[in-house]
Amino acid sequence: MSELFIKDIRRVALENNDTKRFSKHLLREGRYSFSLPEGWDVESINNFNSDIDVNFNNNNNIYGNISIIDGDLESFCENITKEKDSTEIFDEGSYRWNVITLRDGQHINKYYLRKYSEGKILILKFSYYNNKEKDSIKTVFDSIAISFS
């Protein structure tokens, strides 16, 4: 019963953000994939410092980036923020995400980070204006993060 309730809340949160369906995107000849809400734009960028580096946006007020880089997760998290209270843990399936939220005046940067493979980190960064934040946007970001494979 609780699983049905959670699915209903998730559906309402997605609809609250004008998100009804997700589109799957393939990178590097299908080696990587992730899903974004329909209507969002994606631009693949080749970067020699990372396995992938992809920018995306919702054509309105949310801009994002997905990258895989060499490094240590704990050190990378500490470089982003020294404040432990800005970091939360998000467990989904077999993955544990470190979610860091940084507020800088009018902007919010939200980082989803997890170990990807030996010595590599998967980073999803979402940037948006402080006055455009909805509590339910976290559900959209969570959905994008867990779709990466």
Side-chain angles (χ1 to χ4, degrees):
M1 192 69 161
S2 66
E3 190 173 317
L4 287 173
F5 182 70
I6 292 170
K7 285 183 182 179
D8 284 344
I9 288 175
R10 184 174 179 271
R11 183 182 48 78
V12 169
L14 291 172
E15 287 176 2
N16 187 37
N17 287 283
D18 297 323
T19 303
K20 292 180 177 58
R21 285 182 231 139
F22 283 78
S23 298
K24 189 172 188 173
H25 298 273
L26 300 175
L27 301 170
R28 298 279 172 104
E29 298 168 359
R31 188 169 151 203
Y32 305 105
S33 70
F34 66 99
S35 296
L36 291 174
E38 280 188 351
W40 286 34
D41 287 334
V42 66
E43 176 185 334
S44 181
I45 299 171
N46 290 326
N47 185 340
F48 296 109
N49 296 328
S50 64
D51 287 355
I52 63 166
D53 192 1
V54 179
N55 292 327
F56 57 87
N57 66 73
N58 73 341
N59 295 311
N60 192 14
N61 55 18
I62 299 173
Y63 300 90
N65 177 271
I66 300 174
S67 57
I68 297 174
I69 64 167
D70 292 327
D72 174 65
L73 179 62
E74 289 76 24
S75 298
F76 196 82
C77 288
E78 286 178 15
N79 286 337
I80 293 174
T81 183
K82 302 287 186 227
E83 301 171 25
K84 295 292 184 194
D85 60 345
S86 65
T87 303
E88 57 186 277
I89 302 298
F90 166 56
D91 286 315
E92 179 61 38
S94 59
Y95 298 117
R96 172 174 238 158
W97 294 88
N98 289 294
V99 181
I100 300 173
T101 303
L102 300 177
R103 297 174 189 279
D104 180 22
Q106 295 180 332
H107 295 93
I108 297 175
N109 291 311
K110 188 172 286 277
Y111 296 84
Y112 282 67
L113 305 112
R114 73 169 171 88
K115 291 181 182 177
Y116 183 70
S117 64
E118 188 65 38
K120 295 195 181 282
I121 306 166
L122 172 61
I123 304 166
L124 284 83
K125 178 184 176 187
F126 301 95
S127 299
Y128 52 100
Y129 291 106
N130 198 19
N131 63 350
K132 300 290 185 178
E133 184 176 33
K134 296 179 184 178
D135 289 337
S136 57
I137 194 65
K138 181 183 180 322
T139 303
V140 175
F141 296 161
D142 291 353
S143 297
I144 294 169
I146 63 176
S147 75
F148 189 90
S149 61

